[in-house]
Amino acid sequence: MPHDVISTCPVCSGELAVTRLHCRSCGTTLEGEFSVGRFGRLTKEQLVLLGISYPTVRSRVEALVRALGFGPRDGDEAADEAAASTGTSTTTTDAAATRQEILERLAKREIGAEEAAVAIRSLGRTNR
């Protein structure tokens, strides 16, 4: 039964090299030093993450942000859309836009996580 190739030495954590390849069909064997490639150096968890699409990651992160109380609540999104369609501006819409700007700056690494958290917390205090 074949096993997954490991690329990190279990003793010293150095990079392992594949030195022998064998074809089961014709019996040909190649010896040398072969790289496992970039994907071979990833953990199983990292490989799983590669299979998730950007929209899935984004929706899960947005759900996480909402669950922590930083994003718009379930009812807030509908209010924001209604205000946008009527051309009215509400405090909720302004706060959501500012919150989105803060999160975008965080994503671009223009600000750090602590600075973003402080800025988002201050939004909650000013809108009460």
Side-chain angles (χ1 to χ4, degrees):
M1 173 168 107
H3 299 282
D4 291 338
V5 174
I6 61 171
S7 62
T8 305
C9 176
V11 176
C12 71
S13 298
E15 185 177 347
L16 294 175
V18 177
T19 58
R20 187 169 183 231
L21 300 172
H22 178 75
C23 175
R24 289 188 190 134
S25 178
C26 70
T28 299
T29 299
L30 301 172
E31 291 192 19
E33 191 168 315
F34 308 98
S35 171
V36 293
R38 289 183 176 164
F39 295 121
R41 293 188 291 252
L42 299 178
T43 65
K44 287 184 181 185
E45 292 82 15
Q46 291 168 330
L47 286 170
V48 167
L49 180 63
L50 280 178
I52 301 174
S53 70
Y54 174 75
T56 300
V57 171
R58 183 175 172 148
S59 69
R60 288 181 185 179
V61 170
E62 287 174 351
L64 174 66
V65 169
R66 279 193 304 276
L68 292 172
F70 295 120
R73 309 302 185 276
D74 291 335
D76 291 348
E77 290 176 13
D80 292 346
E81 289 174 14
S85 67
T86 61
T88 61
S89 176
T90 65
T91 304
T92 304
T93 304
D94 294 341
T98 304
R99 186 179 298 115
Q100 184 64 30
E101 289 172 14
I102 293 167
L103 293 174
E104 287 173 1
R105 289 184 64 207
L106 176 63
K108 293 176 187 173
R109 296 185 178 170
E110 294 174 0
I111 60 174
E114 188 61 35
E115 186 178 349
V118 168
I120 289 174
R121 275 190 224 111
S122 71
L123 282 176
R125 282 188 232 118
T126 60
N127 290 327
R128 287 184 185 156

